[in-house]
Amino acid sequence: MRRFAFVGALLFLSAGVFSAQQSVNPEQLRTPPPKEPVWAFPVQQGSLPAVPGPKKLAGSDKTYTPEEIDNLLAPPDWMPNDHPPAPSIVTKGHAGALACGSCHLMSGIGHPESADLAGMPASYIKQQMMDFKSGMRIDIARMNGITKELSDAEIDEVVAWFASLKPRKNNRIVEADTAPKTIVAQGRMRFVDPAGGTEPTGNRIITVPEDMQLARLRDPNTKFVSYVPPGTLERGKVLVETGDNKKTVACGTCHGPGLNGQASIGRTGIAAPRIAGQHPIYLARELYLFKDGSRNGMTSKLMTPAVMNLTDADILAISAYLASMDPGSNK
């Protein structure tokens, strides 16, 4: 009963934030339907209340209100000198096209519900944008609606900008039998439950911000910690580096040195993304979607055979190990 009362109160307190986004196409605020495993496909359970008043961020001379921070058409750019000049669509959305910086942040590293795009091969980003636009790749919550609103010129600008950003390590993996109790709140992001407590980690990846308030401010340098079962990283290393006796394919075969991606895998014309340092639950989601046939597009031609023999434990281990890597160490 306490949990339902808590969630209900949070939803009530979030009404002001939603009203500030009334100009956003409602289709772009849809919550995807539940899907297993729930830890990889989180569905929002409630909302953390916004603390009123202007907000500041260490190292920035900017000031934003909570409503401005949560405006998906014009997200905060706390540190504009830390990145190249951004295309308009990154900072200002229009109609059904939310501003890219609202989910992927102005650093490109994003939150767990969105991909870390910083330093991705430009050809890979372009492939995915066109697959979203054509409907070949499905993202009910956001990307199909966004790409349909974008011109070819806007897509080219976005591709070049995210590819130019410097990737950085922002995930820490902790092997533990227990993890903090959590709630999935704004942005389908998991936060430590304000009520406190712990629970068994189980066969899950539990990812939360290192600092909840910085994540809520859309700090471009937000860092995350992920709790995984003991032994996960050792198992993941074997699968990623060797393929474990042909159970899968060693990831470097397609994703290149340091797993930082390739503009084209051999002469296939298919680009491979950077997977080193990517958000672990994002990686897990995509592996599950490749395995069940939900994710289509050019990359599925190569990925579907690579995941067909993976167990849930394998997917968890691969995702955690890749997230533990430093994407800048072999760039």
Side-chain angles (χ1 to χ4, degrees):
M1 181 64 73
R2 182 192 65 82
R3 163 68 72 177
F4 288 116
F6 171 66
V7 172
L10 291 181
L11 285 169
F12 175 77
L13 289 166
S14 70
V17 174
F18 178 78
S19 65
Q21 297 181 0
Q22 289 293 318
S23 59
V24 177
N25 185 334
E27 285 294 300
Q28 288 297 79
L29 297 176
R30 285 197 298 167
T31 297
K35 186 177 177 69
E36 294 290 339
V38 293
W39 61 262
F41 297 90
V43 174
Q44 187 166 338
Q45 302 165 335
S47 297
L48 298 172
V51 179
K55 306 300 175 189
K56 301 285 290 184
L57 186 67
S60 173
D61 60 1
K62 303 287 186 180
T63 301
Y64 296 100
T65 66
E67 292 76 19
E68 290 172 323
I69 291 168
D70 284 324
N71 184 353
L72 301 182
L73 292 173
D77 189 359
W78 290 105
M79 300 176 184
N81 295 326
D82 284 0
H83 59 74
S88 177
I89 189 57
V90 173
T91 58
K92 303 291 182 185
H94 54 75
L98 307 181
C100 304
S102 62
C103 292
H104 297 286
L105 305 182
M106 296 305 296
S107 59
I109 64 175
H111 290 156
E113 86 287 355
S114 57
D116 175 352
L117 298 179
M120 284 282 188
S123 56
Y124 175 76
I125 303 175
K126 180 65 176 285
Q127 280 181 359
Q128 300 312 302
M129 293 290 280
M130 300 314 293
D131 283 349
F132 280 128
K133 189 167 187 173
S134 70
M136 184 173 292
R137 182 177 173 186
I138 301 298
D139 174 44
I140 295 173
R142 297 285 187 270
M143 288 304 301
N144 295 118
I146 290 172
T147 51
K148 287 177 182 178
E149 296 281 349
L150 299 183
S151 67
D152 289 346
E154 285 177 313
I155 288 176
D156 287 341
E157 290 173 347
V158 165
V159 165
W161 189 75
F162 279 114
S164 74
L165 300 180
K166 183 179 180 180
R168 81 281 298 274
K169 181 175 174 60
N170 74 320
N171 286 292
R172 180 168 63 93
I173 307 297
V174 174
E175 293 186 334
D177 289 317
T178 59
K181 285 187 176 180
T182 57
I183 179 174
V184 180
Q186 283 95 327
R188 291 171 287 142
M189 185 161 39
R190 193 176 294 276
F191 297 91
V192 173
D193 191 333
T198 61
E199 62 186 11
T201 304
N203 295 314
R204 303 179 295 169
I205 298 175
I206 304 298
T207 299
V208 294
E210 295 269 18
D211 186 311
M212 181 176 69
Q213 296 306 320
L214 292 182
R216 289 289 295 117
L217 292 175
R218 285 190 163 82
D219 176 4
N221 298 309
T222 297
K223 295 182 182 296
F224 294 87
V225 55
S226 296
Y227 298 88
V228 300
T232 293
L233 293 178
E234 182 179 358
R235 174 62 179 155
K237 179 179 175 68
V238 172
L239 287 160
V240 167
E241 295 185 356
T242 73
D244 190 20
N245 196 29
K246 298 184 179 181
K247 185 170 191 180
T248 184
V249 180
C251 297
T253 304
C254 294
H255 294 276
L259 306 183
N260 281 300
Q262 297 194 90
S264 178
I265 303 169
R267 297 181 179 180
T268 64
I270 301 174
R274 171 178 62 78
I275 52 177
Q278 184 62 259
H279 296 289
I281 66 168
Y282 175 84
L283 288 167
R285 274 199 302 277
E286 299 311 304
L287 291 175
Y288 277 113
L289 293 176
F290 280 124
K291 187 174 181 179
D292 70 15
S294 298
R295 178 166 171 179
N296 296 306
M298 294 186 70
T299 50
S300 67
K301 298 176 183 179
L302 298 177
M303 281 302 301
T304 300
V307 302
M308 62 186 305
N309 295 322
L310 296 179
T311 66
D312 289 352
D314 293 335
I315 289 175
L316 190 157
I318 290 170
S319 302
Y321 180 73
L322 291 172
S324 75
M325 299 178 68
D326 183 350
S329 61
N330 293 295
K331 186 71 175 174

